[in-house]
Amino acid sequence: MKRVGIRDVAERAGVSISTVSNALNRPHMVSGRLVDRVRSAADQLGYVPLQAAQQLRAGRSGLVGMTVINIANPFFADMVAGAEDAASAAGLRVLVGNSSDDLAKERDHLELFERVQVEGALVSPFGPLEPWLRRLRGRGIPVVLVDAIDDTGELPSVSFDDVAGGRLAAEHLLATGRRRLAFVGARAEVRQVRERLQGARHAVAELPGATLEPIWTQRTTSDLGVAFGEQLAARSAADRPDGVVASNDHLAIGLVHGLISRGVRVPEDVAVVGYDDIEFAAIAGVPLTSVRQPAREMGRTAAEMLLARINGARGSDLASVVYRPELIVRASTMSA
């Protein structure tokens, strides 16, 4: 069906386009008789005004843009939900761009935010974005980083201490008597993954005789976790790690399944720690020990900081928030 436009309403009511616009948006500027005629024509045709156009004419889009690395990961979905909580309370909507671990897509999303004139942007970066972020700010669009830190100190941010999180995971495995650890993660160029590995290395370096083997995957999905779990299970017991830190819970849950499917016991033979503490971690076949990140709270805090910037606030109190890790211990590392 053809979309009904303001011209169609004008023709049905027998008035000019400007009269229709005034009758619907500024009824005090025309007579009550004309307002009734225009509204009747609009109802008959099923005309719905374009909200975006109205908002842009009013000098605002009513939108906050938000990019995330992978919306399929419940961590990022929860982060978006938190941002939506704060934005909705302020009468704004969140336009979400999912980069799917693709830098080009991430940049496309930022360009879209610029074109539709979002009122602010929440950015959880996968790769380097400095020129695109500068362009947004040059357009008067404030930016807050989420799950990231701006090394230049120019952008406010909400982040997580991933070095401490990686250390906490490895220290727990070492405390249970594990000595041959592995870190399974995707793409070392991602800051969060790199810092989690760094933290695990710090813990291992402090215990003589302990080792850490990095294992890199292409993605952080449960199916790849299964494949790598099967590969580890195929090794001899002496060559196999006895403790694994996974860079997220999807990988960890898949790893546990892959190990068990090949006859390797979890945690007796191999203990596994995940990262993020997504909802499924607690109800997995072997409940997963995980480093908890308060994803929803992080998203809400970032959106509140952005709203303050949109409303003109400045100051060091908006500069950064860093959340600390919490280890949630379950059956994947502790035998009953």
Side-chain angles (χ1 to χ4, degrees):
M1 291 180 59
K2 175 187 173 184
R3 183 181 181 88
V4 176
I6 192 171
R7 185 181 299 277
D8 300 307
V9 176
E11 291 177 356
R12 174 64 65 91
V15 297
S16 67
I17 292 176
S18 61
T19 298
V20 172
S21 179
N22 286 333
L24 295 178
N25 301 307
R26 295 169 291 276
H28 61 280
M29 296 182 64
V30 297
S31 69
R33 179 178 57 81
L34 281 178
V35 169
D36 290 342
R37 188 197 304 179
V38 168
R39 288 179 176 173
S40 175
D43 289 342
Q44 293 171 22
L45 294 171
Y47 171 69
V48 178
L50 287 174
Q51 183 182 22
Q54 291 177 331
Q55 289 173 323
L56 287 173
R57 282 195 295 272
R60 59 177 299 182
S61 66
L63 296 172
V64 167
M66 185 172 188
T67 67
V68 295
I69 294 174
N70 186 355
I71 197 68
N73 185 334
F75 168 76
F76 291 109
D78 287 346
M79 200 163 67
V80 169
E84 287 180 331
D85 290 342
S88 295
L92 300 175
R93 296 181 181 179
V94 179
L95 175 63
V96 180
N98 176 34
S99 67
S100 300
D101 300 334
D102 186 325
L103 182 57
K105 287 182 66 176
E106 188 170 54
R107 292 169 175 173
D108 286 345
H109 295 321
L110 296 182
E111 290 178 354
L112 173 63
F113 295 166
E114 183 181 359
R115 289 197 302 272
V116 302
Q117 301 177 42
V118 296
E119 299 190 33
L122 299 168
V123 180
S124 180
F126 171 69
L129 297 171
E130 288 81 1
W132 286 263
L133 298 180
R134 280 198 300 270
R135 277 176 51 181
L136 287 177
R137 296 171 67 204
R139 294 274 189 178
I141 298 173
V143 175
V144 172
L145 298 182
V146 196
D147 195 30
I149 298 174
D150 177 29
D151 294 331
T152 69
E154 295 179 359
L155 293 174
S157 64
V158 175
S159 62
F160 188 77
D161 190 339
D162 282 299
V163 175
R167 172 186 278 273
L168 194 61
E171 285 178 341
H172 172 66
L173 291 172
L174 295 171
T176 65
R178 316 292 165 160
R179 293 296 179 267
R180 301 185 310 278
L181 305 191
F183 179 92
V184 181
R187 310 184 75 142
E189 66 267 26
V190 177
R191 180 198 60 81
Q192 294 92 326
V193 175
R194 188 172 62 250
E195 291 186 354
R196 292 166 195 177
L197 173 59
Q198 180 184 348
R201 280 179 166 153
H202 290 334
V204 169
E206 294 173 359
L207 185 63
T211 60
L212 179 66
E213 174 190 2
I215 300 173
W216 299 112
T217 70
Q218 290 300 310
R219 301 184 311 280
T220 54
T221 58
S222 55
D223 59 332
L224 274 180
V226 171
F228 276 86
E230 292 172 346
Q231 291 175 23
L232 292 178
R235 297 186 186 182
S236 67
D239 185 48
R240 183 190 308 136
D242 57 10
V244 176
V245 178
S247 66
N248 76 6
D249 285 345
H250 274 179
L251 271 175
I253 291 170
L255 275 162
V256 171
H257 180 81
L259 289 165
I260 292 175
S261 69
R262 292 295 187 268
V264 176
R265 298 172 300 166
V266 176
E268 293 83 358
D269 300 323
V270 180
V272 179
V273 180
Y275 211 99
D276 293 336
D277 194 35
I278 64 175
E279 180 181 359
F280 303 114
I283 59 175
V286 178
L288 183 67
T289 294
S290 185
V291 177
R292 174 174 290 172
Q293 296 195 85
R296 191 161 190 144
E297 184 179 346
M298 290 171 67
R300 182 169 55 249
T301 298
E304 289 170 349
M305 290 171 63
L306 183 65
L307 291 168
R309 291 278 170 145
I310 291 170
N311 292 326
R314 294 291 185 272
S316 59
D317 58 320
L318 299 178
S320 65
V321 174
V322 180
Y323 285 89
R324 298 286 298 176
E326 177 186 6
L327 186 72
I328 308 302
V329 178
R330 300 190 181 97
S332 67
T333 58
M334 300 295 289
S335 301

